[in-house]
Every structure is written in C-alpha cells, then in structure tokens.
C-alpha cells in the first residue's frame, strides 16, 4: 500500500466488568481502502467500532486518525474529523423527515457547517445518489427496513467522512437488497471514502473488501486478502469450532 | 454539645431509621433497579399505605402492622393495573422517558390531592399500646416506635430476598432485567413477569406506609421528602440489589440521624440529595453501563 | 405565519396591553392575567428542555423560586432596580440549571429528572432555614411608591409579564427553527445517533437546561413585587411544578404553539375554577387531565388539531 494510514488502532483493550471484550487489538486502515472486519458473534467487532467512533472509551491502547491521537475525543469531535458510522439497528431521528435527518450532520458535522438552504441542497444530492430522493419529505419513523438502512448510510455520507464504518448494514435483507447496499458502498468508495465493512454475509464481504481482518474472542487472528482469509485454517476453526 | 451518649443515640436511631428506609426503598429497587420502570410515584403509594393503616387503626381498631399486611393484596392489584396501563401506553410505544415519567408524576398528584381533600393537611397518627414503650439494652435505649418498624422492615427485606433468589418467579424477575431471551427459554412472558414484580413492589408500599405512620404522624405531602431518599438509596445500593439497598439505607439513615442531631433536623433532608448528586457525579460509569 | 407578521402581532399585543391599563380599572383582571402569562413563560421554558430535548424537569418550582428569592434578596440588600432583578433572577436560575445539568446529564435522562424532583424539596428546606429572607415566616417587599408612565404597580407588572411571555415565545420559536433546535430534536429522537452525527449532545443539553432554567427564573423575578408578601410555600408552590409540564403536555410539545395553547386554556380554566371550586380540587383535576392526555392524546391539542385538519383535507 502506498496510500497513507488513515486509521491506526494500537493495542486497544476494552473490558466490561470482568469480561474482556477486546484484548489488545491493533489494525490499520489506509486512505481510500475497502476494508472488511469479520468474526463470529461476540468476537468484539461492534465493541471495536464503538471504541473507534467514540461511543465507548477504550481502557488501554490508543486510536489515531490522520496522524492524530483521538483516544480521548468525544464521539461528535471524531465525527467532525471525518469518521462516520451507520448503526446495526437503524437509529433514525424518527420525528424528522428524511431530508431533515440529513440536515443534522450537514449542519453539525461538516467544517463551518452548511445551514438552511445549503444544507438541504447537499442533503438532496446525497439522497439522489442513494436512491432515497423520492422519500425526502417522508417522516423517517415510517420507513421500511431497507429504506432505513439506506437512510443510515445517507446520513453517514452527509457527515462528508474520510472513513465510513458500515456496521452490518445488510443483515436481514434479501439478496437483491444486499446488492443494492453493496452498490451504494462501492459508489461511496469511488468518491474516495475509505470504508470499513462489518458483515456476516460472506459473499458481500469477500466481493467488497480489498483486505480483511478477522477477530475472535477479542483477539485479532488473521489478516489478508479475501482469498487468503477463505483458506486460513485459524479462521475456519474460529467459525466452525474444533 | 458533643457527647458520647448523644453520638450513640444518634447512631442507634439512624440504624433503626435506616432499616425503615429499606422498606420504603424496596419497591424502587424492584421497579427501577430491576424492571427499569422509573416509578417516582412510589413514595406516594407509601403515603397511601400509611393512610390505609390509619383508617384500619382508627376505624376498625386494627394493629397498624396488621392493617398494612391486609392492605397488601389491594396494593398488589393496584400495582398490576398501574403496570398494565403503563405498559400499554408508554413502554410498548417506547415513550417511557418523557410521557411515562409525566404519567407517574400525575399519579403523585392524584394520590396526594385526593388524600388532602379527604383528610386535610392535619397530621394523622396511629395508636398501639406498645408504641410508647422502650427497651433498655445497657446504655442503649430502643424506642419501640422505631424498633418495631426496623424489625418488620428487615423481615420484609429478607422475604423479598428469598423470593428473588429461591423461587421460579423470583429468578424470572431477575432474568427480565438482564436477558429477555433467557426468560423466553424459561417459558415466561416478560410483560407478565414485569406486571407481577411491579405489583409486588407496590404491595410493599402498603407495609412501608404502616411503618411510616408508626414512626411519626404524617400528612399527605410527606411523600415528597422520600423521593430524593429512595432514589439516592437505589443508586447508592447498586440498582437492583436487595442487599445493596439495605446497606445503602442504613448508611443514609445513620448519616441523616447524625446530621439532624448535630446540625438540626431541617438539614437532614439535604443529606440524601447531596449523596444522590455525589454518587451520580463520581461514579457515572458504573451507572451508565446499563 | 412569517416572522414579520408575528413580530407585528407581538408589538400590537404589547401596545394593546398598555392601552388596556388606560381603560380597565378592575385590578382583579390584571392579577388573573398576570398568573396566566406567568404560566406561558413557565410552560414555554419547560418545553425547551422537555418537549424539544426530551428531558423532564420536575423542579420548575425550584427554578421559579430561585428567581423570586434572588429578586427578594436584591431588593432587600441593595434596593436593586427592576431590570436588574429580571437579569439576576434569570442568571442565578440559569446557573442552577447548568449545575444540575452538568452533574446529571452525562448519565441516563431519568437521573436528571430525579435530581430536579429532589432539588425542589431541598431548596425549599434551605430557604425555610434562611433567616435573611424570613425563613418560613416569609418576607415583605415594598413596591416602589410610583412607577413612571403607569397609574399603579400592578398594571406595570402586567405589562412586564406580557413582554416576558412574548420574549419567551420568541426565544422558543427561534430555538425551534435554528440549527440548535434541530440538534435538540435529534437528541430527543436518538441521542447516540445524534452524537455520532456530530451533535455535541452534552453541550446542547446544557444550553437547553440553562436557557430553560433562566426563563423560569425571569418569570419568578417580579414575584416578590406581585405578592408584596412572599413565603416559601407560595414561591415553591406545587402548582408551578405540575402546571409547567401539564400545559405543554396538553397543548402539544413539538412546537412553541403547544405550551401557549396549553397555558392559556389550562391557566384560564384554573383562574375560573379557583373562584368557584377549591384550589385542591383544582390540582386534582389538573393531575387527572394530564394523565388522561399522556395516555390518550400524547401529541396534545396541537397534534389533535393537525390530525383533524389532515383528515379534513383528505
């Protein structure tokens, strides 16, 4: 890789009470990369993402973004630096319209902050790209499952991120819908955004990722290209058991 | 001003008072700590229980504790109804944090003002032959007025502890606070378990109310003073632990008693509020994780 | 309605209020309307935190009384002029909101609500024990002998409250339509998502508690002059705690119109009711009505009206 390191996770540890969710995980994501993060249920993927986005504070280790230590920054400051995420279970601002949902990050997350008409125009453009422009005036609380997933991604885009973390954006969707979300993520990558995809749907992760890291029980057990990972003995064992 | 006797008396009175606080807080520990229902109206239900004991005592000549025990089934049913309304109107819609709270706040008003209209602002009390007696244990004087509520409160605490740890339904209540899936595997519906537990929480208010009016005369708005106390205890006691509730109640009782002995009774109220704020400010991580 | 039209309406209302003092002699109407207007301020203030942000404040009476007692102290100590009372009352109550918010708002919202519940009881205890302001006996405040332009002091206070109510509504409307308001609503809808979308949630919540507390304090500042004799039970009156949340709940919490509608309807009904029935029964009715509304019509009158209009159109 010649691209600069965007995200640098350095031996991050996180405990909940006596349970160690992350045991010194390190990984790097490069600018503009398509990165896959996989692992069995309870392996610590979402905990790691929560530490990166700032929803949780890690106990030990450090997190750097664009050559800057962000370990102590609150979540909204990280968002302003360019880290956006979608939630596994969609968390729309239910009382607002779809368009207003996007105005929140447009006003708060971007440098200077676009206000009023500018914010709305930017939001509309993102909705068009994602294919939600028909629903711009609809109240977000009443959307269908797939529309909510798209809204999650659209809202993350409105942050104008350098790094987008997609946390199981495809779980529970039909095969055609998975392809739709995948196409959106490819399109985001085209715009120069690095994407971390967390997913259980192997077909999607393998197709999307240039590089994959595998977590198991809070430890990193493998790293490599899709082909390598598919044929890695440790990964197979983690997924299938002994 | 300062003397060892005074200190001993204050500590003893504080321990006895603290035991009583545990009886008042058990309902909050169950509802708030385990079920995540922020029943700010619990102290109002305790006052309702106190007036129940008053009526049983003054009209029917019952012992206040007997009256409190007899009130339990009624309070149980009342709790059942309140929870069903709460569930259907707020919990199911995910609207507990704003409207659910306002709902309980409205209940406080309905209870308090109804009692006010019925019994006025005069202080009411109960009669029982033993209430004026004291027990001398060497240098320590135990007034029955405080000692009996203390003993009953300990009994109630113990019963609730046994229920939660030894019975099927008790374990189901504990499970509902942690893991809905495990509960389904046990074959119990979360809503039914919560209704049962909430009903039990309200039922404890009947006895706690009887103890309250034994300790001293009451009027309808006394309940408000307990809101800060019971939540301070629930938070300090670690949210949902019966043993923790008892320990926190005793600590608070002793601190209040010392404060009121050495600084004056009017400052005792500020103690619980101070503790509440300090605990919330100092240990946020332990509370936020839930 | 556009902002300019509303501004014109507001100016017209103030002028009408001033004109009214030239014709209407019966002091009762000024006393009664003052109370309703005071509720407009309290309900609007409550709604900035409760309705927009979703955090319940049960201690409106504490903030109101903080404003009232700040004013009483300043009058007694330095005979402070009227505008100073308003500013100081707002400032102290705002700081109280900021302090309570800072201590509890990093946690789950219920802790803030619980703290405000206890706050009223504790502050009242402190005031009762504070000899300088008369303790439980209360404190007398002499009104200035004359006030420029007005025939008597009650008429002056009435016009002041008209201006304060309009000011509170304008503040709420401005917040609602600005990026701050959108951030507050985002917090109400989903706080974690709001934080991840770059909303500085803690700071915004503190802004809301401070502004809300300050407006309640401002509403309380003229209170010593209004009563001339103020005791803790009147300043910490439960009416304020229940009404300031009942009114937005009944009117509707999502816009600035809701608290206004609720305060005018409920406030006027109470003014009529206290004349005809007891004030305790009055409170009981408020309690029952608010419980009925949160269960049956969570969107309030404004919500019902909107739904009715949408159906009429369809």
């Amino acid at each position: 890789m010649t691209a600069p390191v965007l995200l640098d996770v350095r031996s991050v540890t996180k405990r909940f009470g006596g349970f160690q969710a992350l045991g010194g995980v390190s990984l790097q994501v490069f600018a503009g990369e398509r990165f896959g993060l996989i692992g069995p249920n309870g392996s610590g993927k979402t905990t790691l993402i929560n530490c990166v986005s700032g929803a949780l504070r890690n106990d030990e280790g450090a997190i750097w973004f664009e050559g800057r230590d962000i370990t102590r920054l609150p979540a909204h400051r990280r968002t302003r630096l360019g880290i956006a995420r979608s939630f596994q279970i969609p968390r729309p601002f239910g009382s607002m319209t779809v368009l207003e949902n996007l105005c929140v990050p447009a006003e708060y997350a971007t440098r200077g902050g676009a206000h009023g008409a500018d914010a709305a125009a930017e939001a509309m453009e993102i909705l068009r790209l994602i294919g939600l422009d028909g629903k711009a005036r609809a109240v977000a609380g009443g959307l269908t499952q797939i529309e909510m997933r798209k809204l999650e991604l659209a809202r993350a885009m409105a942050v104008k991120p350098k790094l987008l973390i997609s946390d199981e954006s495809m779980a529970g969707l039909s095969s055609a819908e998975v392809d739709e979300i995948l196409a959106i993520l490819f399109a985001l990558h085209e715009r120069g955004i690095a994407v971390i995809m967390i997913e259980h749907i192997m077909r999607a992760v393998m197709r999307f990722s240039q590089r994959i890291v595998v977590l198991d029980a809070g430890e990193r057990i493998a790293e490599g290209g899709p082909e390598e990972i598919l044929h890695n003995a440790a990964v197979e064992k983690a997924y299938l058991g002994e | 001003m300062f003397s060892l006797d005074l200190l001993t008396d204050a500590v003893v009175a504080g321990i006895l008072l603290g035991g009583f606080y545990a009886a008042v807080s058990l309902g909050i520990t169950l509802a708030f700590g385990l079920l995540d229902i922020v029943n700010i109206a619990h102290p109002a239900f305790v006052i309702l229980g106190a007036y129940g004991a008053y009526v049983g005592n003054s009209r029917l000549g019952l012992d206040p504790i007997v009256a409190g025990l007899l009130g339990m089934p009624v309070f149980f049913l009342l709790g059942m109804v309140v929870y069903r309304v709460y569930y259907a109107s707020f919990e199911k819609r995910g609207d507990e944090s704003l409207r659910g709270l306002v709902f309980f706040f409205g209940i406080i008003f309905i209870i308090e003002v109804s009692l006010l209209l019925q019994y006025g602002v005069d202080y009411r009390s109960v009669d029982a032959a033993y209430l004026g007696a004291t027990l001398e244990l060497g240098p320590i004087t135990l007034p029955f007025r405080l000692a009996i509520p203390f003993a009953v409160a300990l009994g109630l605490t113990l019963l609730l502890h046994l229920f939660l740890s030894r019975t099927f339904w008790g374990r189901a209540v504990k499970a509902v606070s942690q893991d809905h899936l495990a509960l389904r595997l046990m074959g119990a519906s979360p809503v039914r378990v919560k209704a049962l537990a909430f009903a039990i929480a309200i039922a404890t208010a009947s006895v706690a109310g009887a103890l309250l009016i034994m300790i001293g005369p009451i009027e309808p708005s006394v309940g408000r003073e307990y809101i800060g106390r019971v939540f301070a205890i629930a938070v300090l006691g670690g949210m949902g632990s019966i043993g923790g509730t008892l320990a926190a109640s005793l600590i608070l009782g002793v601190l209040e008693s010392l404060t009121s002995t050495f600084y004056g009774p009017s400052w005792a109220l500020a103690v619980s509020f101070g503790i509440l704020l300090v605990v919330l400010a100092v240990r946020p991580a332990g509370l936020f994780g839930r | 309605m556009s902002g300019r039209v509303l501004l014109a309406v507001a100016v017209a209302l103030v002028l009408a209020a001033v004109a009214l003092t030239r014709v209407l002699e019966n002091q009762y109407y000024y006393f009664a309307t003052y109370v309703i207007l005071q509720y407009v301020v309290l309900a609007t203030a409550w709604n900035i935190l409760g309705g927009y942000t979703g955090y319940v404040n049960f201690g409106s009476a504490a903030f109101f009384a903080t404003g009232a007692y700040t004013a009483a102290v300043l009058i007694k100590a330095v005979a402070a002029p009227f505008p100073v009372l308003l500013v100081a009352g707002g400032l102290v109550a705002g700081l109280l909101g900021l302090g309570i918010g800072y201590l509890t708002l990093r946690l789950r919202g219920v802790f803030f609500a619980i703290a405000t519940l206890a706050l009223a009881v504790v502050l009242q205890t402190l005031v009762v024990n504070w000899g300088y302001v008369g303790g439980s006996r209360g404190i007398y405040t002499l009104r200035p002998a004359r006030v420029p332009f007005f025939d008597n002091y009650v008429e002056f206070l009435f016009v002041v409250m008209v201006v304060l109510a309009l000011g509170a509504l304008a503040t709420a409307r401005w917040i609602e339509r600005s990026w701050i308001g959108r951030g507050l609503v985002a917090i109400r809808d989903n706080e974690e998502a709001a934080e991840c979308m770059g909303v500085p949630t803690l700071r915004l919540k503190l802004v809301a508690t401070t502004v809300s507390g300050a407006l309640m304090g401002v509403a309380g500042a003229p209170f010593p002059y209004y009563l001339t004799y103020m005791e803790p039970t009147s300043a910490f009156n439960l009416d304020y705690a229940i009404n300031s949340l009942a009114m937005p709940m009944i009117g509707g919490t999502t816009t600035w119109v809701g608290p206004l509608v609720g305060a005018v309807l409920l406030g006027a009904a109470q003014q009529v009711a206290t004349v005809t029935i007891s004030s305790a029964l009055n409170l009981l009715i408020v309690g029952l009505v608010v419980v009925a509304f949160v269960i049956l019509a969570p969107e309030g009158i404004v919500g019902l009206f909107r739904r009715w209009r949408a159906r009429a159109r369809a």
Side-chain angles (χ1 to χ4, degrees):
Chain A
M1 282 282 172
T2 49
V5 174
L6 186 65
L7 176 73
D8 193 358
V9 175
R10 301 178 183 174
S11 10
V12 163
T13 303
K14 178 73 196 172
R15 281 178 291 270
F16 297 107
F19 172 71
Q20 178 157 310
L22 291 176
V25 172
S26 298
L27 58 81
Q28 292 185 323
V29 177
F30 299 95
E33 189 179 20
R34 298 194 306 270
F35 183 91
L37 183 63
I38 63 172
N41 277 326
S43 57
K45 300 179 303 271
T46 298
T47 305
L48 180 62
I49 287 327
N50 280 335
C51 288
V52 170
S53 70
L56 291 174
R57 237 5 107 72
N58 44 306
D59 298 319
E60 285 152 39
I63 296 166
W64 288 61
F65 187 74
E66 286 197 304
R68 178 177 169 185
D69 187 354
I70 59 165
T71 317
R72 304 254 150 251
L73 290 188
H76 69 269
R77 296 277 308 278
R78 301 185 193 200
T79 306
R80 288 178 190 177
L81 290 177
I83 302 178
R85 71 171 292 184
S86 69
F87 288 97
Q88 198 174 334
I89 298 160
R91 297 179 177 205
F93 302 131
S95 72
M96 302 183 191
T97 65
V98 168
L99 191 66
E100 283 168 339
N101 262 267
L102 268 68
C103 288
V104 173
E107 285 173 338
Y108 279 94
T110 54
R111 210 168 289 276
H115 287 283
D118 291 347
E122 270 173 32
M124 245 352 249
E125 196 202 317
I126 295 171
L127 287 178
R128 230 169 272 133
L129 184 88
I130 302 263
L132 260 184
D133 45 330
K135 291 277 179 183
R137 303 272 159 212
V139 175
L143 295 181
T144 64
Q145 204 34 236
I146 171 89
E147 285 166 349
M148 283 206 195
R149 300 295 175 93
K150 287 182 178 173
L151 175 57
E152 280 288 317
L153 292 176
R155 213 170 48 173
M157 260 199 83
V159 167
K160 294 195 183 149
K162 292 167 187 143
L163 173 67
L164 175 84
I165 305 168
S166 153
D167 190 1
E168 297 199 29
S169 300
M170 308 170 189
L173 297 185
S174 76
S175 172
E177 287 167 341
V178 166
D179 287 339
E180 242 181 286
I181 299 286
L182 209 50
I184 291 172
L185 290 176
F186 270 113
L188 296 186
H189 174 256
E190 287 291 300
R191 300 182 140 208
I193 301 171
V195 178
I196 298 180
M197 177 192 274
I198 301 171
E199 204 55 66
H200 277 298
I201 301 173
M202 279 308 149
R203 178 175 71 85
V205 187
M206 292 302 159
R207 218 175 100 198
F208 183 77
S209 312
Q210 295 164 318
R211 196 161 59 93
I212 295 173
V213 161
V214 189
L215 289 185
D216 184 36
E219 310 268 349
R220 177 178 142 153
I221 59 164
E223 178 188 342
E227 278 301 307
E228 266 173 89
I229 294 296
L230 270 181
H231 301 106
N232 184 307
V235 175
E236 201 170 320
K237 205 168 89 184
Y239 270 91
L240 301 174
E242 303 278 336
Chain B
M1 172 85 195
F2 184 86
S3 78
L4 198 61
D5 279 356
L6 207 57
L7 183 69
T8 320
D9 282 350
V11 171
V12 170
I15 290 172
L16 296 180
L17 200 63
F20 159 69
Y21 286 170
V24 180
S25 310
L26 285 176
I28 288 288
T29 299
L30 262 179
F32 182 40
L34 289 175
L35 310 176
D36 217 11
I37 301 168
V38 191
N39 179 15
I40 51 175
H42 191 75
F45 283 106
V46 172
I47 300 299
L48 195 63
Y51 274 88
Y54 165 73
V55 171
N57 180 260
S58 62
R59 301 275 156 78
L60 309 171
L62 291 172
D63 181 89
I65 293 173
V66 174
L69 290 173
L70 286 178
M72 284 184 94
V74 182
F75 274 61
F76 183 89
L77 289 178
L78 184 63
M80 208 65 134
V81 172
V82 169
Y83 178 73
R84 288 289 169 179
V85 173
Y86 176 78
Y87 172 75
S89 311
F90 311 106
E91 216 170 58
K92 210 162 74 180
R93 297 189 209 149
D95 200 3
E96 306 100 297
S97 64
L98 183 66
R99 294 196 169 76
L101 270 176
V102 172
F103 168 72
F104 283 122
F105 194 63
I107 289 184
I108 296 181
F109 266 79
I110 292 170
I111 292 178
E112 198 177 308
V113 180
S114 301
L115 290 173
L116 194 72
L117 287 169
Q118 187 68 32
Y119 300 103
V121 289
D122 304 335
Y123 278 85
R124 308 275 165 171
S125 56
V126 286
D127 289 322
Y130 52 82
L131 281 179
T134 54
L135 183 68
E136 304 282 342
L137 285 176
I140 299 167
T141 310
L142 293 179
F144 273 32
R145 193 173 58 80
L146 286 173
I148 290 186
F150 176 79
V152 175
L154 283 194
L156 191 65
T157 309
L158 188 67
L159 274 180
L160 199 61
H161 172 73
L162 289 176
F163 166 75
L164 285 176
S165 56
R166 298 288 164 81
T167 65
F168 172 83
W169 286 105
R171 264 173 271 171
V173 171
K174 277 187 151 172
V176 84
S177 69
Q178 286 150 4
D179 194 344
H180 278 251
L181 186 67
L183 199 64
R184 291 241 170 69
L185 294 177
M186 287 169 80
S189 116
V191 177
R192 271 184 61 199
V193 172
K194 286 183 102 172
L196 174 85
F198 191 79
I200 292 175
I202 299 299
T204 65
S206 177
V207 176
L211 305 183
L212 173 68
I213 198 168
M214 285 171 78
I215 289 176
I218 59 152
E219 48 100 12
S221 69
V222 168
R224 277 183 247 145
E225 294 174 7
Y226 281 85
I227 293 175
R229 264 186 206 131
V230 293
F231 281 97
I233 289 169
V235 173
L236 190 64
M239 306 280 284
S241 138
I242 300 288
T245 302
L246 186 59
S249 303
L250 294 175
I251 291 172
L252 190 67
V254 171
L255 284 179
E256 275 194 15
S257 177
L258 290 175
T259 309
S260 95
T261 305
F262 295 108
Y263 296 94
S266 46
W267 293 104
L269 256 186
V271 172
S272 58
F273 186 67
I275 288 183
L276 182 66
L277 283 188
V278 168
V279 175
L280 291 181
V282 175
R283 277 201 52 211
L287 305 164
F288 195 63
R290 285 171 32 83
Chain C
M1 262 189 280
S2 77
R4 216 171 286 169
V5 176
L6 286 173
L7 185 65
V9 170
V11 171
L13 278 175
V14 175
L15 292 177
V18 174
L20 192 69
T21 62
R22 297 291 130 118
V23 261
L24 187 65
E25 288 293 323
N26 190 335
Q27 299 292 298
Y28 166 76
Y29 291 105
Y30 297 116
F31 271 105
T33 319
Y34 178 93
V35 173
I36 297 172
L37 290 167
Q38 186 176 276
Y39 277 132
V40 172
V41 181
L42 285 174
T44 304
W46 185 92
N47 202 46
I48 289 173
L49 186 65
Y52 300 166
T53 325
Y55 278 78
V56 187
N57 178 0
F58 291 117
S60 307
F63 292 97
F64 177 84
T66 299
Y69 270 95
T70 303
V73 168
L74 285 175
I75 295 166
K76 186 176 174 185
V78 295
F82 194 82
V84 174
L85 303 181
L86 293 182
V87 173
L91 210 61
V92 176
L95 283 176
L96 181 68
L98 183 65
I100 294 289
Y102 185 76
L103 284 177
T104 59
L105 282 175
R106 289 168 298 160
L107 314 173
R108 289 198 315 157
V110 293
F111 290 115
F112 174 78
I114 293 165
T116 57
L117 262 177
L119 177 71
V121 181
V122 170
L123 274 189
Q124 188 170 355
T125 313
L126 295 184
V127 169
V128 164
N129 284 293
W130 190 11
Y132 187 76
V133 291
S136 56
R137 278 173 295 111
I139 183 170
Y140 282 95
T141 310
L142 277 183
R143 288 177 184 155
R146 67 176 58 166
V147 52
F149 196 69
F150 290 96
D151 294 344
N152 68 54
Y153 212 79
V154 174
E155 290 174 8
F156 165 70
L157 287 178
F158 161 74
V159 173
V160 165
M161 217 21 112
V162 170
V163 174
L164 290 183
L166 290 171
L169 288 170
T171 309
R173 185 175 179 273
W174 178 78
I175 288 178
E176 193 179 312
R177 298 181 159 227
S178 72
W179 55 282
I180 296 177
R182 215 192 312 272
L184 295 179
V185 173
I187 291 173
R188 181 189 70 201
D189 281 359
N190 195 313
E191 191 158 342
E192 203 179 336
E195 177 78 22
C196 275
M197 290 301 121
V199 180
T201 53
L202 179 60
R203 207 179 315 154
L204 273 195
K205 286 188 289 185
L206 290 177
V207 167
T209 46
T210 309
V211 172
S212 174
L215 283 175
M216 289 176 182
V218 172
F223 199 58
Y225 279 141
Y226 173 78
L227 284 186
T228 64
Y229 165 62
M230 176 172 73
E231 42 176 357
T233 42
S234 52
F236 286 92
N237 202 319
L238 269 190
D239 291 29
Y240 300 125
I242 180 96
N243 275 324
S244 53
L245 67 87
M247 287 162 175
M249 283 289 159
I250 288 166
T253 53
T254 50
T255 69
W256 60 275
V257 184
L260 173 64
V261 170
V264 170
L265 282 182
L266 205 57
Q270 283 174 8
Q271 284 305 315
V272 175
T274 34
V275 180
T276 49
I277 57 174
S278 80
S279 65
L281 193 60
N282 199 340
L283 269 184
L284 180 63
I285 293 169
V286 177
L288 288 170
V289 169
V290 75
V291 167
F293 260 87
V294 290
I295 292 174
L296 301 173
E299 284 148 1
I301 292 172
V302 170
L304 289 178
F305 178 72
R306 276 196 189 147
R307 219 182 307 160
W308 170 78
R309 212 173 48 178
R311 206 175 304 154
R313 234 183 257 156

